């Protein structure tokens, strides 16, 4: 299996990492080792239950400021979402909206709404943002799926520019057999001044049947996984034994992790630092190690 690594001198990444809505703190990272390609489909021959008109009407019903003439979209087969209508549009304030609607049942799977990324007069608290997120999810997700998610983080993100609002990023992990999925779950962004949801993403792709066959009791301890990590680092010319001996574990958690062939593993997700990290660094390195075989699944180590 490919192992992704970024070394100080080599700067080599074996396989591209696709990160969508990565949670900055302890939350689940939505990640894929391979950036997948989408395939355009012919709506006249594709077997779908939801037409483009249906998708268009759904967009307009939830976004009354959308300009009708600006709406256009395509039917695509996406590796993460399946067959969806990907719809783009403009609003009366000149901003763009991109949304993905399931072509089988009309469910909105993601939305990035630039029209909500505006300044306001309010002062939305962290608790307010969480409540807004929960109400938004309740209006769009079945009770069965809601029962399978768990709040991971509510993080405030400073505005990217003086004329933009701050944002709350709220992350929910999908829990399968008591263990969080590394890829599945729901994430939202809430405007910290207006309280409007500016983006929403729901991913639900892990195969529960496949996971049912995996023992949830790890075959190796997290301490053993750390030993595997240190040995791996010691053998990397651009890291070496000296840095490996200074590894400081920040956290270690069991997660469901897909590899680059979409096979699911029970994995130890270990976040760590070593002597090359400055005091106060916010972003530790991460490694994912199969919790049964000890195989290195992904090594994410970036140093300037």
């Amino acid at each position: 299996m490919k192992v992704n690594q970024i070394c100080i001198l080599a700067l080599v990444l074996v396989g591209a990492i696709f990160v969508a809505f990565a949670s900055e703190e302890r939350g689940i990272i939505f990640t894929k080792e391979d950036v997948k390609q989408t395939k355009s489909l012919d709506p006249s021959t594709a077997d779908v239950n939801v037409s483009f008109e249906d998708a268009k009407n759904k967009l307009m019903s939830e976004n009354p400021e959308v300009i009708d003439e600006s709406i256009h979209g395509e039917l695509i087969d996406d590796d993460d979402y399946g067959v969806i209508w990907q719809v783009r549009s403009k609003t009366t304030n000149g901003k763009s909206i991109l949304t993905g609607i399931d072509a089988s049942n009309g469910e909105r799977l993601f939305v990035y709404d630039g029209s909500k990324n505006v300044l306001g007069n309010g002062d939305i608290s962290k608790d307010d943002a969480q409540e807004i997120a929960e109400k938004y999810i309740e209006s769009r997700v079945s009770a069965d799926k809601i029962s399978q998610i768990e709040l991971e983080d509510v993080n405030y993100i400073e505005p990217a520019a003086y004329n933009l609002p701050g944002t709350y990023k709220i992350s929910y992990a999908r829990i399968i057999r008591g263990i969080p999925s590394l890829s599945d779950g729901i994430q939202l962004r809430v405007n910290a001044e207006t309280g409007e949801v500016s983006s929403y993403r729901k991913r639900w792709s892990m195969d529960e049947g496949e996971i049912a066959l995996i023992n949830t009791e790890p075959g190796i301890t997290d301490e053993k996984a750390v030993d595997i990590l240190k040995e791996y680092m010691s053998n990397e010319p651009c890291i070496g034994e000296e840095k490996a001996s200074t590894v400081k574990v920040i956290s270690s958690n069991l997660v469901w992790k897909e590899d680059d062939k979409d096979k699911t593993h029970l994995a130890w997700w270990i976040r760590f630092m070593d002597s090359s990290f400055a005091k106060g660094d916010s972003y530790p390195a991460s490694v994912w190690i199969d919790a049964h075989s000890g195989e290195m699944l992904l090594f994410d180590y970036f140093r300037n």
Side-chain angles (χ1 to χ4, degrees), residues 45-86:
T45 59
D47 183 18
V48 297
N49 298 324
V50 177
S51 68
F52 175 66
E53 280 301 312
D54 294 332
K56 177 179 174 180
N57 291 335
K58 185 174 184 65
L59 172 64
M60 294 187 69
S61 68
E62 296 189 5
N63 301 86
E65 295 181 351
V66 164
I67 301 171
D68 192 340
E69 297 78 13
S70 74
I71 302 174
H72 64 280
E74 59 180 334
L75 187 66
I76 63 173
D77 187 358
D78 183 89
D79 279 302
D80 286 339
Y81 296 108
V83 179
I84 65 171
W85 285 104
Q86 184 168 273

Side-chain angles (χ1 to χ4, degrees), residues 164-221:
L164 293 175
T167 303
Y168 286 103
K169 183 188 290 184
I170 301 105
S171 306
Y172 296 84
R174 180 187 178 191
I175 308 299
I176 309 173
R177 298 180 66 195
I179 296 170
S181 161
L182 191 62
S183 61
D184 288 6
I186 298 174
Q187 288 200 359
L188 309 91
R189 287 178 184 263
V190 173
N191 185 312
E193 295 188 14
T194 68
E196 294 179 297
V197 174
S198 58
S199 71
Y200 165 82
R201 181 180 188 269
K202 171 177 169 282
R203 186 173 174 217
W204 214 267
S205 65
M206 280 196 167
D207 186 341
E208 291 187 43
E210 180 185 3
I211 290 176
L213 303 176
I214 302 174
N215 190 343
T216 57
E217 289 297 323
I220 64 171
T221 64

